[in-house]
Amino acid sequence: MDFKDQIKQLSERVLKLKNNIHTEEATKNAFIMPFIQSLGYDVFNPLEVVPEFICDIGIKKGEKIDYAIFRDDTPIILIECKHWKQKLDIHDGQLLRYFHVSKAKFALLTNGIIYRFYTDLIEPNKMDEKPFLDFNIEDIKDGQIERLKEFHKTYFNPESVFQSASELKYTNELRHLIQGEFQEPKDDFVKYFVKQVYTSAVTAKTLEYFRPLVKRTLNNYISDSISDRLKSAITIEEQVQREDVIEEVVVAPIATSAGKEVETTAEELEAFYIVRSILRPVIESKRIVHRDALSYFAIFLDDNNRKPICRLYLNSGKKYIGTFDTEKKEAKSEIATIDDIYSFSEQLIKGVNYYQ
């Protein structure tokens, strides 16, 4: 069972059992210990997971945190647990104090349903007030699972996670700001758009007139974009299915009706080596191979067309890169030059990790 399936299974377990969990200790045993186990750590090995870990705070000796995950005899993640019915907002101060006196770089506050991950992005050795990763396991999104996977014992790299935490912190804050503007646009936000389309002086009355127009236009634009992407996804999926059938049957060089064979260009090979260099930290280069076709240049893992990494469309007027999600659905993005492939590093690495 892969990591995503384990988390989904735990989500179902929480939904099924939570109304029968009446104590904090039961919450730990039923929800939080299985969660730690799903991250690849042995909850019954005191060298990896230490329950009731002592964090002396100043003159207060013997202060304990529920769990500490260790690596190389050093705590890497502190975990403070609460009963699943308790709200977490009133408890983050306690975790902050533990974090300050520990060598751990990450901290987790959870009630077995809500999980909040913290680090020290703002001030070294002082836990941030806001978590960089916050999710509800009863409604966890695929993107959140991918972020959570970075904490798995197999993949955990403190420097890499810290960098991801920084990006996630700011994207979350930007997301909340954008969401707020979409729901109730502020004056400065409305004024920015009004000045582009309205030539007269922008007064308070003008802003009130345009506010609902801006809000409605934004919502319509989002709806139209979603509709267009769904149509595009259906078209691409149908194309992928047809091409997969062709790839499985045809093993000889692909030719046009006029007998023209596929020609691999120097640009395609250069793009292939860019993809290889991106993936080299997570996979052996020899496992990354390419196959050329008339309409695209494909890159696979283990020379297996069931393990597509990406497709490159470089021989027409515009250039595109096609990346794949967990269900092997292709998303095509326009690129100006093959150097733009580097900006898709995260998607490519995630794509390879799907097959690990």
Side-chain angles (χ1 to χ4, degrees), residues 233-298:
I234 292 171
T235 302
I236 292 172
E237 176 62 18
E238 290 174 349
Q239 179 185 350
V240 169
Q241 290 174 353
R242 288 196 300 270
E243 291 170 345
D244 282 347
V245 171
I246 292 173
E247 287 173 354
E248 289 175 7
V249 175
V250 180
V251 294
I254 303 173
T256 65
S257 58
K260 180 182 177 182
E261 292 187 0
V262 172
E263 179 181 354
T264 300
T265 66
E267 186 179 43
E268 287 173 332
L269 287 176
E270 186 178 354
F272 170 66
Y273 290 120
I274 288 175
V275 173
R276 263 194 173 184
S277 68
I278 291 170
L279 297 177
R280 183 61 188 86
V282 296
I283 202 76
E284 291 179 271
S285 294
K286 65 181 181 180
R287 296 180 62 191
I288 305 168
V289 300
H290 67 79
R291 296 186 207 168
D292 207 352
L294 286 174
S295 58
Y296 59 84
F297 182 84

Coordinates of all heavy atoms in Angstrom, one line a residue, residues 233-298:
A233 N -8.9 18.8 -20.6 CA -8.5 17.6 -20.0 C -9.1 16.4 -20.6 O -8.5 15.4 -20.9 CB -8.8 17.6 -18.5
I234 N -10.4 16.5 -21.0 CA -11.1 15.4 -21.6 C -10.5 15.1 -23.0 O -10.2 14.0 -23.4 CB -12.6 15.8 -21.8 CG1 -13.3 15.8 -20.4 CG2 -13.3 14.7 -22.7 CD1 -14.7 16.3 -20.4
T235 N -10.2 16.2 -23.7 CA -9.6 16.1 -25.1 C -8.2 15.4 -25.0 O -7.9 14.5 -25.7 CB -9.5 17.4 -25.8 OG1 -10.8 18.0 -25.8 CG2 -8.9 17.3 -27.1
I236 N -7.4 15.9 -24.0 CA -6.0 15.4 -23.9 C -6.1 13.9 -23.4 O -5.3 13.1 -23.9 CB -5.2 16.2 -22.9 CG1 -5.0 17.6 -23.4 CG2 -3.9 15.5 -22.5 CD1 -4.4 18.6 -22.4
E237 N -7.0 13.6 -22.5 CA -7.1 12.2 -22.1 C -7.5 11.3 -23.2 O -6.9 10.2 -23.3 CB -8.1 12.1 -20.9 CG -8.4 10.7 -20.4 CD -7.2 10.0 -19.8 OE1 -6.3 10.8 -19.5 OE2 -7.2 8.8 -19.6
E238 N -8.4 11.7 -24.0 CA -8.8 10.9 -25.2 C -7.6 10.7 -26.1 O -7.3 9.6 -26.6 CB -9.9 11.5 -25.9 CG -11.2 11.5 -25.2 CD -12.3 12.3 -25.8 OE1 -12.0 13.0 -26.8 OE2 -13.5 12.2 -25.4
Q239 N -6.8 11.7 -26.3 CA -5.6 11.7 -27.2 C -4.6 10.7 -26.6 O -3.9 9.9 -27.2 CB -5.0 13.1 -27.4 CG -3.7 13.1 -28.2 CD -3.1 14.4 -28.3 OE1 -3.7 15.4 -27.8 NE2 -1.9 14.5 -28.8
V240 N -4.3 10.8 -25.2 CA -3.4 10.0 -24.5 C -3.8 8.5 -24.7 O -2.9 7.7 -24.9 CB -3.3 10.4 -23.1 CG1 -2.5 9.3 -22.3 CG2 -2.6 11.7 -22.9
Q241 N -5.1 8.2 -24.5 CA -5.5 6.8 -24.6 C -5.3 6.3 -26.0 O -4.8 5.1 -26.2 CB -7.0 6.8 -24.3 CG -7.3 7.0 -22.8 CD -8.7 7.0 -22.4 OE1 -9.6 7.0 -23.3 NE2 -9.1 7.1 -21.2
R242 N -5.5 7.1 -27.0 CA -5.3 6.6 -28.4 C -3.8 6.4 -28.7 O -3.4 5.4 -29.3 CB -5.8 7.7 -29.4 CG -7.3 7.8 -29.5 CD -7.8 8.5 -30.7 NE -7.3 9.9 -30.7 CZ -7.9 10.9 -30.2 NH1 -9.1 10.8 -29.6 NH2 -7.4 12.1 -30.3
E243 N -3.0 7.3 -28.2 CA -1.5 7.2 -28.4 C -0.9 6.1 -27.6 O 0.0 5.4 -28.1 CB -0.9 8.5 -28.0 CG -1.2 9.6 -29.0 CD -0.7 11.0 -28.6 OE1 -0.4 11.1 -27.4 OE2 -0.7 11.9 -29.4
D244 N -1.5 5.8 -26.4 CA -1.0 4.6 -25.6 C -1.2 3.3 -26.4 O -0.4 2.4 -26.4 CB -1.7 4.6 -24.3 CG -1.1 5.6 -23.3 OD1 0.0 6.1 -23.6 OD2 -1.7 5.8 -22.3
V245 N -2.4 3.2 -27.0 CA -2.7 2.0 -27.8 C -1.7 1.9 -28.9 O -1.2 0.8 -29.2 CB -4.1 2.1 -28.4 CG1 -4.4 1.0 -29.4 CG2 -5.1 2.0 -27.2
I246 N -1.4 3.0 -29.6 CA -0.4 3.0 -30.7 C 0.9 2.6 -30.2 O 1.6 1.7 -30.8 CB -0.4 4.3 -31.4 CG1 -1.7 4.6 -32.1 CG2 0.8 4.4 -32.4 CD1 -1.8 6.0 -32.7
E247 N 1.4 3.1 -29.1 CA 2.7 2.8 -28.5 C 2.8 1.4 -28.2 O 3.9 0.8 -28.3 CB 3.0 3.7 -27.3 CG 3.3 5.2 -27.7 CD 3.4 6.1 -26.5 OE1 3.1 5.6 -25.4 OE2 3.7 7.2 -26.7
E248 N 1.8 0.7 -27.7 CA 1.9 -0.6 -27.2 C 2.0 -1.6 -28.4 O 2.6 -2.6 -28.4 CB 0.6 -1.0 -26.4 CG 0.6 -0.4 -25.0 CD -0.6 -0.6 -24.3 OE1 -1.4 -1.5 -24.8 OE2 -0.8 -0.1 -23.2
V249 N 1.4 -1.2 -29.5 CA 1.3 -2.1 -30.7 C 2.5 -1.9 -31.6 O 3.1 -2.8 -32.1 CB 0.0 -1.8 -31.5 CG1 0.1 -2.7 -32.8 CG2 -1.2 -2.2 -30.7
V250 N 2.9 -0.6 -31.8 CA 4.0 -0.3 -32.8 C 5.3 -0.2 -32.1 O 5.6 0.6 -31.2 CB 3.7 1.1 -33.5 CG1 4.8 1.4 -34.5 CG2 2.3 1.0 -34.1
V251 N 6.3 -1.1 -32.5 CA 7.6 -1.1 -31.9 C 8.7 -0.7 -33.0 O 9.8 -0.3 -32.6 CB 8.0 -2.5 -31.4 CG1 7.1 -2.8 -30.2 CG2 7.8 -3.5 -32.5
A252 N 8.3 -0.7 -34.2 CA 9.2 -0.2 -35.3 C 9.2 1.3 -35.4 O 8.3 1.9 -34.8 CB 8.8 -0.8 -36.6
P253 N 10.1 1.9 -36.1 CA 10.1 3.4 -36.2 C 8.8 3.8 -36.8 O 8.2 3.3 -37.7 CB 11.2 3.6 -37.2 CG 12.2 2.5 -37.0 CD 11.3 1.3 -36.7
I254 N 8.2 4.9 -36.2 CA 6.9 5.5 -36.6 C 7.1 6.3 -37.8 O 8.0 7.1 -37.9 CB 6.3 6.3 -35.5 CG1 6.2 5.4 -34.2 CG2 5.0 6.9 -35.9 CD1 5.8 6.2 -33.0
A255 N 6.3 6.1 -38.8 CA 6.4 6.9 -40.1 C 5.1 7.5 -40.4 O 4.0 7.1 -40.0 CB 6.9 5.9 -41.2
T256 N 5.1 8.6 -41.2 CA 3.9 9.2 -41.7 C 3.4 8.4 -42.9 O 4.1 7.4 -43.4 CB 4.3 10.6 -42.2 OG1 5.1 10.5 -43.4 CG2 4.9 11.4 -41.2
S257 N 2.3 8.8 -43.4 CA 1.7 8.1 -44.6 C 2.6 8.2 -45.8 O 2.6 7.4 -46.7 CB 0.3 8.7 -44.9 OG 0.5 10.1 -45.2
A258 N 3.5 9.2 -45.8 CA 4.4 9.4 -46.9 C 5.7 8.6 -46.7 O 6.6 8.7 -47.5 CB 4.7 10.9 -47.1
G259 N 5.8 7.9 -45.6 CA 7.0 7.0 -45.3 C 8.1 7.8 -44.6 O 9.2 7.3 -44.4
K260 N 7.8 9.0 -44.1 CA 8.8 9.7 -43.4 C 9.0 9.2 -41.9 O 8.0 9.2 -41.2 CB 8.4 11.2 -43.4 CG 9.5 12.1 -42.7 CD 9.0 13.6 -42.6 CE 10.0 14.4 -41.9 NZ 9.5 15.8 -41.8
E261 N 10.2 8.9 -41.6 CA 10.5 8.4 -40.2 C 10.7 9.5 -39.3 O 11.0 10.6 -39.7 CB 11.7 7.4 -40.2 CG 11.5 6.1 -41.0 CD 12.6 5.2 -40.8 OE1 13.6 5.6 -40.1 OE2 12.6 4.1 -41.4
V262 N 10.5 9.2 -38.0 CA 10.7 10.2 -36.9 C 12.2 10.6 -36.9 O 13.1 9.7 -36.9 CB 10.3 9.6 -35.6 CG1 10.7 10.6 -34.4 CG2 8.8 9.4 -35.6
E263 N 12.5 11.9 -36.7 CA 13.8 12.3 -36.6 C 14.0 13.1 -35.3 O 13.3 14.1 -35.0 CB 14.2 13.3 -37.7 CG 15.6 13.9 -37.6 CD 15.9 14.8 -38.8 OE1 15.1 15.0 -39.7 OE2 17.0 15.4 -38.7
T264 N 14.9 12.5 -34.4 CA 15.1 13.2 -33.1 C 16.1 14.3 -33.3 O 17.2 14.1 -33.8 CB 15.7 12.1 -32.1 OG1 14.8 11.0 -32.0 CG2 16.0 12.8 -30.8
T265 N 15.7 15.5 -32.9 CA 16.5 16.7 -33.1 C 17.4 16.9 -31.9 O 17.3 16.4 -30.8 CB 15.6 17.9 -33.2 OG1 14.9 18.2 -31.9 CG2 14.5 17.7 -34.3
A266 N 18.4 17.8 -32.2 CA 19.4 18.1 -31.1 C 18.7 18.8 -30.0 O 19.1 18.6 -28.8 CB 20.5 19.0 -31.7
E267 N 17.7 19.6 -30.3 CA 17.0 20.3 -29.2 C 16.2 19.3 -28.3 O 16.2 19.5 -27.1 CB 16.0 21.3 -29.8 CG 15.3 22.2 -28.8 CD 14.3 23.2 -29.4 OE1 13.6 22.8 -30.3 OE2 14.3 24.3 -28.9
E268 N 15.6 18.3 -28.9 CA 14.9 17.3 -28.1 C 15.9 16.5 -27.2 O 15.6 16.2 -26.0 CB 14.2 16.3 -29.1 CG 13.0 16.9 -29.7 CD 12.4 16.0 -30.8 OE1 13.1 15.2 -31.4 OE2 11.1 16.1 -31.0
L269 N 17.1 16.2 -27.7 CA 18.1 15.5 -26.9 C 18.6 16.4 -25.8 O 18.8 15.9 -24.6 CB 19.3 15.1 -27.8 CG 19.0 13.9 -28.7 CD1 20.2 13.6 -29.6 CD2 18.6 12.6 -27.9
E270 N 18.7 17.7 -26.1 CA 19.2 18.6 -25.0 C 18.1 18.7 -23.9 O 18.4 18.7 -22.7 CB 19.4 20.0 -25.6 CG 20.0 21.0 -24.6 CD 20.3 22.3 -25.2 OE1 20.2 22.5 -26.5 OE2 20.7 23.3 -24.5
A271 N 16.8 18.7 -24.3 CA 15.7 18.8 -23.4 C 15.7 17.5 -22.5 O 15.4 17.5 -21.3 CB 14.4 18.9 -24.1
F272 N 16.0 16.4 -23.2 CA 16.1 15.1 -22.5 C 17.1 15.1 -21.4 O 16.9 14.7 -20.2 CB 16.4 14.0 -23.4 CG 16.7 12.7 -22.8 CD1 15.7 12.0 -22.1 CD2 18.0 12.1 -22.9 CE1 16.0 10.7 -21.5 CE2 18.3 10.9 -22.3 CZ 17.3 10.2 -21.6
Y273 N 18.3 15.7 -21.7 CA 19.3 15.8 -20.7 C 19.0 16.8 -19.6 O 19.5 16.6 -18.4 CB 20.7 16.1 -21.3 CG 21.2 14.9 -22.2 CD1 21.4 15.1 -23.5 CD2 21.4 13.7 -21.6 CE1 21.9 14.0 -24.3 CE2 21.9 12.6 -22.4 CZ 22.1 12.8 -23.7 OH 22.5 11.7 -24.5
I274 N 18.2 17.8 -19.9 CA 17.7 18.7 -18.8 C 16.9 18.0 -17.8 O 17.0 18.1 -16.6 CB 17.0 19.9 -19.5 CG1 18.0 20.8 -20.2 CG2 16.2 20.7 -18.4 CD1 17.3 22.0 -20.9
V275 N 15.9 17.2 -18.4 CA 15.0 16.4 -17.5 C 15.8 15.4 -16.7 O 15.6 15.2 -15.5 CB 14.0 15.6 -18.4 CG1 13.2 14.7 -17.5 CG2 13.1 16.6 -19.1
R276 N 16.8 14.8 -17.3 CA 17.7 13.8 -16.6 C 18.4 14.6 -15.4 O 18.5 14.0 -14.3 CB 18.7 13.2 -17.5 CG 18.4 11.9 -18.0 CD 19.6 11.2 -18.6 NE 19.3 9.8 -19.0 CZ 20.2 9.0 -19.5 NH1 21.4 9.4 -19.6 NH2 19.9 7.7 -19.8
S277 N 18.9 15.7 -15.7 CA 19.7 16.5 -14.6 C 18.7 16.9 -13.5 O 19.1 16.9 -12.3 CB 20.3 17.7 -15.2 OG 19.4 18.7 -15.6
I278 N 17.5 17.2 -13.8 CA 16.5 17.6 -12.7 C 16.2 16.4 -11.9 O 16.1 16.5 -10.6 CB 15.2 18.1 -13.4 CG1 15.4 19.4 -14.1 CG2 14.1 18.2 -12.4 CD1 14.3 19.9 -14.9
L279 N 16.1 15.2 -12.5 CA 15.7 14.0 -11.7 C 16.8 13.2 -11.1 O 16.6 12.3 -10.3 CB 14.9 13.1 -12.7 CG 13.6 13.7 -13.2 CD1 12.9 12.7 -14.2 CD2 12.6 14.0 -12.1
R280 N 18.1 13.6 -11.5 CA 19.2 12.8 -11.0 C 19.3 12.7 -9.5 O 19.6 11.6 -9.0 CB 20.5 13.5 -11.5 CG 21.8 12.7 -11.1 CD 21.8 11.3 -11.7 NE 22.9 10.5 -11.2 CZ 22.8 9.8 -10.1 NH1 21.7 9.8 -9.3 NH2 23.8 9.1 -9.7
P281 N 18.9 13.7 -8.7 CA 19.0 13.6 -7.2 C 18.0 12.5 -6.7 O 18.2 12.1 -5.5 CB 18.6 15.0 -6.7 CG 18.9 15.9 -7.9 CD 18.6 15.1 -9.1
V282 N 17.0 12.1 -7.4 CA 16.0 11.2 -6.9 C 15.9 9.9 -7.6 O 15.3 8.9 -7.1 CB 14.6 11.8 -6.9 CG1 14.5 13.0 -6.0 CG2 14.1 12.2 -8.3
I283 N 16.6 9.7 -8.8 CA 16.5 8.5 -9.5 C 17.8 8.3 -10.4 O 18.4 9.3 -10.8 CB 15.2 8.5 -10.5 CG1 14.8 7.1 -10.8 CG2 15.5 9.3 -11.7 CD1 14.1 6.4 -9.7
E284 N 18.2 7.1 -10.6 CA 19.4 6.8 -11.4 C 19.1 7.3 -12.8 O 18.1 7.0 -13.4 CB 19.7 5.3 -11.4 CG 20.2 4.8 -10.1 CD 20.5 3.3 -10.1 OE1 19.6 2.5 -9.9 OE2 21.6 3.0 -10.4
S285 N 20.1 7.9 -13.4 CA 20.0 8.4 -14.8 C 19.6 7.3 -15.8 O 18.9 7.5 -16.7 CB 21.2 9.2 -15.2 OG 21.4 10.3 -14.5
K286 N 20.2 6.1 -15.6 CA 20.0 5.1 -16.6 C 18.6 4.6 -16.7 O 18.2 3.9 -17.6 CB 20.9 3.9 -16.3 CG 20.7 3.2 -15.0 CD 21.7 2.1 -14.8 CE 21.4 1.3 -13.4 NZ 22.3 0.2 -13.2
R287 N 17.8 4.9 -15.7 CA 16.4 4.5 -15.6 C 15.5 5.5 -16.4 O 14.3 5.2 -16.7 CB 15.9 4.4 -14.2 CG 16.6 3.3 -13.4 CD 16.0 3.2 -12.0 NE 14.6 2.9 -12.0 CZ 13.8 2.9 -10.9 NH1 14.3 3.4 -9.8 NH2 12.5 2.6 -11.0
I288 N 16.0 6.6 -16.8 CA 15.3 7.6 -17.5 C 15.6 7.5 -19.0 O 16.8 7.7 -19.4 CB 15.6 9.0 -17.0 CG1 15.4 9.1 -15.5 CG2 14.8 10.1 -17.7 CD1 16.0 10.4 -14.9
V289 N 14.6 7.2 -19.8 CA 14.8 6.9 -21.2 C 13.8 7.8 -22.1 O 12.9 8.3 -21.5 CB 14.7 5.4 -21.6 CG1 15.7 4.6 -20.8 CG2 13.2 5.0 -21.3
H290 N 14.1 7.9 -23.4 CA 13.2 8.6 -24.2 C 12.8 7.8 -25.4 O 13.5 6.9 -25.8 CB 13.9 9.9 -24.7 CG 15.1 9.7 -25.6 ND1 15.0 9.4 -27.0 CD2 16.4 9.7 -25.4 CE1 16.1 9.3 -27.5 NE2 17.1 9.5 -26.6
R291 N 11.7 8.2 -26.0 CA 11.2 7.6 -27.2 C 10.6 8.8 -28.0 O 9.9 9.6 -27.5 CB 10.1 6.6 -27.0 CG 10.5 5.3 -26.3 CD 9.3 4.4 -26.3 NE 9.4 3.5 -25.1 CZ 8.4 2.7 -24.8 NH1 7.2 2.7 -25.4 NH2 8.5 1.9 -23.7
D292 N 10.9 8.8 -29.3 CA 10.5 9.9 -30.2 C 9.3 9.4 -31.0 O 9.2 8.2 -31.4 CB 11.6 10.3 -31.1 CG 11.4 11.8 -31.5 OD1 10.4 12.4 -31.2 OD2 12.3 12.3 -32.1
A293 N 8.3 10.3 -31.2 CA 7.2 10.0 -32.0 C 7.0 11.2 -33.0 O 7.7 12.3 -32.8 CB 5.9 9.8 -31.2
L294 N 6.1 11.1 -33.9 CA 5.9 12.2 -34.8 C 5.4 13.5 -34.2 O 5.8 14.6 -34.5 CB 4.9 11.8 -35.9 CG 5.5 10.8 -37.0 CD1 4.4 10.4 -37.9 CD2 6.6 11.5 -37.8
S295 N 4.5 13.3 -33.2 CA 3.8 14.5 -32.6 C 4.4 14.9 -31.3 O 4.1 16.0 -30.9 CB 2.3 14.1 -32.4 OG 2.2 13.0 -31.5
Y296 N 5.3 14.1 -30.7 CA 5.9 14.5 -29.4 C 7.1 13.7 -29.1 O 7.4 12.7 -29.8 CB 4.9 14.4 -28.3 CG 4.4 13.0 -28.1 CD1 5.1 12.1 -27.3 CD2 3.2 12.6 -28.6 CE1 4.6 10.8 -27.2 CE2 2.7 11.3 -28.5 CZ 3.4 10.4 -27.7 OH 3.0 9.1 -27.6
F297 N 7.9 14.1 -28.2 CA 9.1 13.5 -27.7 C 8.8 13.0 -26.3 O 8.6 13.9 -25.4 CB 10.3 14.4 -27.7 CG 11.6 13.9 -27.3 CD1 12.4 13.2 -28.2 CD2 12.0 14.0 -26.0 CE1 13.6 12.6 -27.8 CE2 13.3 13.5 -25.6 CZ 14.0 12.8 -26.5
A298 N 8.7 11.7 -26.0 CA 8.3 11.2 -24.7 C 9.5 10.7 -23.9 O 10.5 10.2 -24.4 CB 7.3 10.0 -24.9

